[in-house]
Amino acid sequence: GLIILSLLSSCKEIDKKQEKEKETIVKSERWSEKMANDWAANKPWLRGANFNPSTAINQLEFWQAESFDPETIDKELGWAEDIGLNCMRVYLHHLAWEVDKDGFKERINQYLSIADKHNISTIFVIFDDCWNPTYKAGKQPEPKPGVHNSGWVRDPGDLLYTSDDLMPILESYTKDILTTFNGDKRIILWDLYNEPGNSGYKNKSLPLLKNVFEWAREVNPSQPITS
């Protein structure tokens, strides 16, 4: 009798392990065509643009506590609503999270509340290979008249190639943001990496691109992921 019970218990443990492994595999897979179609079935036609408030030269000035500007965000998203836009693509930055994790997430939530008030859904961008390669927290540079995107910064930019320990920070950042806002219906999807390989990086960006998709699939957000 003890031998049979032991075998049954062992079989149950094996079954549980196999179920857990199966669940992990499912979570790491891309969405099926049916899942994508089901997700899209009840969505409106998306009409939108990239959004950064006019008082912020870049993502850091947008999201840092000292320069976050909900009044301007509210006013300008109101203009967007007035002309029929219903979706905005908004860039985040890991440095704003790194220096103030809780405050950063609170400001994201505040932005989402403002956007939702104007019937605007959000696409958040996690990483970006465009424009200035270096950056720092605090006061951001003044705009250069006549120069397009004079103060925009990449994320993570050149720091990825000069720091030995940045990748774990980027993983924690990605997973924290996707976990915190998993299931948030105000977010329509996650754009994990804007223009990977731009600015001459080419295939140097490929490891981070592969990693960010792996990290996102470990979180398994309710919203679709893209790049």
Side-chain angles (χ1 to χ4, degrees), residues 40-47 86 121 188:
N42 298 316
K43 299 291 185 297
W45 186 261
L46 299 179
R47 308 172 302 277
N86 64 3
S121 59
I188 198 147

Side-chain angles (χ1 to χ4, degrees), residues 50-63:
N50 290 327
F51 177 75
N52 208 67
S54 60
T55 50
I57 194 170
N58 59 27
Q59 313 93 303
L60 293 171
E61 196 163 35
F62 186 163
W63 293 110

Side-chain angles (χ1 to χ4, degrees), residues 10 36 55 59 63 66 78 91 101 162-163 176 206 208 216 221 226:
S10 177
T55 50
Q59 313 93 303
W63 293 110
E66 59 271 25
Y91 288 74
K101 295 178 178 64
T162 59
S163 172
D176 187 19
L206 192 56
L208 179 57
T226 188

Side-chain angles (χ1 to χ4, degrees), residues 78-91:
W79 294 342
E81 181 185 24
D82 288 345
I83 62 172
L85 302 186
N86 64 3
C87 183
M88 287 292 158
R89 184 168 177 260
V90 177
Y91 288 74

Side-chain angles (χ1 to χ4, degrees), residues 60-61 64 66 93 95-96 98-99 135-140:
L60 293 171
E61 196 163 35
Q64 290 179 145
E66 59 271 25
H93 202 286
L95 184 58
E98 191 173 5
V99 300
Y135 44 82
K136 60 181 180 180
K139 182 173 171 52
Q140 299 302 299

Side-chain angles (χ1 to χ4, degrees), residues 26-130:
V26 169
K27 286 184 178 181
S28 68
E29 291 177 349
R30 63 183 296 176
W31 278 18
S32 67
E33 185 176 340
K34 183 181 184 304
M35 287 177 68
N37 286 332
D38 289 347
W39 170 85
N42 298 316
K43 299 291 185 297
W45 186 261
L46 299 179
R47 308 172 302 277
N50 290 327
F51 177 75
N52 208 67
S54 60
T55 50
I57 194 170
N58 59 27
Q59 313 93 303
L60 293 171
E61 196 163 35
F62 186 163
W63 293 110
Q64 290 179 145
E66 59 271 25
S67 48
F68 186 67
D69 187 356
E71 291 79 13
T72 297
I73 293 168
D74 187 26
K75 177 179 65 176
E76 294 177 352
L77 290 183
W79 294 342
E81 181 185 24
D82 288 345
I83 62 172
L85 302 186
N86 64 3
C87 183
M88 287 292 158
R89 184 168 177 260
V90 177
Y91 288 74
L92 305 175
H93 202 286
H94 90 273
L95 184 58
W97 169 85
E98 191 173 5
V99 300
D100 182 15
K101 295 178 178 64
D102 290 338
F104 180 61
K105 289 181 286 187
E106 288 171 6
R107 289 185 287 279
I108 290 175
N109 187 60
Q110 188 176 356
Y111 168 83
L112 287 169
S113 295
I114 297 169
D116 188 57
K117 183 180 73 171
H118 293 292
N119 301 303
I120 291 174
S121 59
T122 300
I123 299 169
F124 279 127
V125 182
I126 303 295
F127 298 124
D128 181 19
D129 272 356
C130 295

